[in-house]
Amino acid sequence: MDISAEAVMKADWPARADEAQRSLKKHFYNEKTGIMNQWFPREYFRSDDNFYYWWHAHVLDVLIDAYERNHDPELAIQIREYSRSLRAYNGGTFLHNYYDDMEWTALALLRAFQATGEEEYKTAVLELWTDIQTAWNDHFGGGMAWKKDQLDYKNTPANAPAAILAARLYSLLRNPDDLEWAVRIFEWNQAHLVDPGSGLVWDGINRLGDGRIDYDWAFTYCQGVFLGAGVELYRVTGEQKYADAALRTAHACINRLCDQDTLLLPDEGIDDTGLFKGILIRYFAQLEKQFPGAIPVREVILANADALWNTGLDHRSGLCGPSWELKPVLPVQLSVQLSGLMLLEGAAIMQKTSI
């Protein structure tokens, strides 16, 4: 599916992203808790449902996306209130058992600090980063553990976002230790969980305690965070090897995970996997901004956004499903709705960068 720059200009992607932002708040925001419900309708919530802490970091991220686009001071207030409500709901702290959850929260709060200049975000990021560093251990030659009560399970979701965070902290604060962390984490991830033949990124090693790599877990999410780490390291070091790694993984991702006729990304289901495609889109957009036209990620983003807007989105409700080419069926999870919103925000970025 070839989406030209002319076709991009015909669609008002920022307005469409704004519409999706309004739908998210309308259907999911809970005034009592100050954060989003995990289901719409909220009656589908069960008392034994997991609290998916990391989804709410992505709520902050999409609010920041909107703020960076239109600089509405009301959004800055929403970001502040949401972050404080999330901390309160999580027991008065941003710290957590899952290292990757904390990494996503730190990444969102770092963006909030850079967008607003409010010091409370930076303070929280540095507290999180200190705790995140305890994930590194010697099982399998290093790498960041997935969670505190399973230190011998190492995966891309715990390593690549940590490398992104460390690189961004180095860019902001110029602490050489942060750059050392970013390089060390990235190199471990690349050596242990990236196919040397294709650049495709595997999920993890030793999940079941058997030392095996999950070769069959080729998720969009893992491709996105690893190539995102490569982009960030290239930005702060200028070393071509990081650009090459990011571009190689992007190429492998498109070849392996996109439909070769339509460029559409797969339906990866609900729960955590409902967020995966949106995360890939976020880092595809970063790749395109850094290396415009090097890999057809612009075409992928716009093909998927076009499919979602024209066939997958229920325009009466503003809801979307895990497939971006099929109308949603109730109930809809927050993770799935966020992914669709991240896609429309990615299309808005593509429109802006094409001008």
Side-chain angles (χ1 to χ4, degrees):
M1 188 178 201
D2 181 22
I3 305 295
S4 67
E6 290 180 313
V8 175
M9 296 307 296
K10 291 178 181 178
D12 190 345
W13 292 110
R16 293 176 176 184
D18 282 335
E19 184 175 324
Q21 293 274 0
R22 290 190 292 270
S23 295
L24 177 71
K25 184 174 182 179
K26 175 183 177 181
H27 294 303
F28 291 91
Y29 183 66
N30 187 321
E31 292 185 0
K32 183 177 179 180
T33 63
I35 61 174
M36 300 291 175
N37 294 315
Q38 294 181 170
W39 289 98
F40 176 82
R42 69 177 64 182
E43 290 75 22
Y44 281 85
F45 173 79
R46 301 183 306 270
S47 60
D48 60 345
D49 274 352
N50 288 329
F51 169 48
Y52 293 102
Y53 174 55
W54 77 290
W55 295 4
H56 299 276
H58 295 281
V59 175
L60 285 170
D61 256 332
V62 297
L63 289 172
I64 297 162
D65 290 338
Y67 181 71
E68 288 178 342
R69 279 193 295 102
N70 53 41
H71 304 290
D72 180 352
E74 177 60 31
L75 283 165
I77 295 171
Q78 290 180 34
I79 293 164
R80 185 186 317 122
E81 291 178 345
Y82 201 94
S83 67
R84 291 175 179 177
S85 295
L86 176 59
R87 181 175 56 197
Y89 196 88
N90 190 53
T93 180
F94 287 120
L95 302 182
H96 201 271
N97 182 48
Y98 287 81
Y99 285 111
D100 57 338
D101 287 34
M102 291 194 294
E103 290 159 16
W104 284 116
T105 303
L107 284 167
L109 293 172
L110 184 59
R111 287 187 67 208
F113 170 69
Q114 292 177 298
T116 69
E118 295 182 24
E119 286 289 330
E120 69 178 76
Y121 300 127
K122 186 172 77 169
T123 299
V125 170
L126 294 177
E127 179 187 17
L128 281 162
W129 179 224
T130 297
D131 198 65
I132 289 164
Q133 290 174 37
T134 66
W136 185 274
N137 62 64
D138 292 335
H139 292 292
F140 302 99
M144 310 294 273
W146 182 44
K147 56 179 182 169
K148 294 174 181 177
D149 58 357
Q150 192 180 6
L151 294 175
D152 60 353
Y153 173 40
K154 308 294 182 65
N155 62 10
T156 296
N159 281 271
I164 294 170
L165 176 63
R168 289 182 179 177
L169 282 170
Y170 174 72
S171 180
L172 178 68
L173 304 175
R174 291 293 159 177
N175 180 346
D177 289 345
D178 293 334
L179 179 57
E180 182 182 334
W181 271 107
V183 169
R184 182 169 54 197
I185 296 166
F186 181 87
E187 289 182 348
W188 183 91
N189 202 159
Q190 186 175 40
H192 291 82
L193 294 174
V194 178
D195 184 348
S198 69
L200 192 77
V201 183
W202 303 311
D203 186 83
I205 183 170
N206 202 45
R207 176 171 55 92
L208 300 176
D210 55 7
R212 297 179 61 184
I213 293 174
D214 289 309
Y215 292 111
D216 55 337
W217 281 19
F219 294 127
T220 55
Y221 168 96
C222 293
Q223 319 313 310
V225 289
F226 181 77
L227 68 87
V231 169
E232 293 299 333
L233 275 163
Y234 175 76
R235 285 174 175 165
V236 297
T237 68
E239 294 187 37
Q240 187 62 35
K241 64 181 180 180
Y242 299 119
D244 292 343
L247 293 167
R248 188 163 172 260
T249 291
H251 182 76
C253 177
I254 293 171
N255 284 345
R256 172 76 177 270
L257 301 179
C258 289
D259 183 287
Q260 294 306 293
D261 294 325
T262 65
L263 295 182
L264 296 186
L265 289 160
D267 176 348
E268 291 177 293
I270 64 169
D271 297 329
D272 282 341
T273 55
L275 252 172
F276 285 5
K277 289 186 295 186
I279 292 167
L280 171 64
I281 295 296
R282 179 174 299 285
Y283 290 100
F284 263 178
Q286 293 297 311
L287 185 80
E288 176 64 17
K289 287 170 69 176
Q290 188 66 46
F291 307 109
I295 296 287
V297 296
R298 177 186 296 271
E299 290 83 351
V300 171
I301 293 172
L302 294 171
N304 281 271
D306 182 69
L308 175 63
W309 188 260
N310 289 308
T311 64
L313 191 68
D314 182 341
H315 287 277
R316 292 172 300 175
S317 66
L319 296 170
C320 64
S323 168
W324 286 338
E325 54 183 333
L326 297 174
K327 291 290 191 293
V329 176
L330 294 180
V332 172
Q333 273 186 309
L334 174 62
S335 58
V336 171
Q337 190 70 15
L338 282 169
S339 214
L341 174 50
M342 291 157 75
L343 173 61
L344 296 177
E345 288 287 0
I349 292 172
M350 292 303 95
Q351 186 174 53
K352 180 179 179 181
T353 58
S354 70
I355 297 173

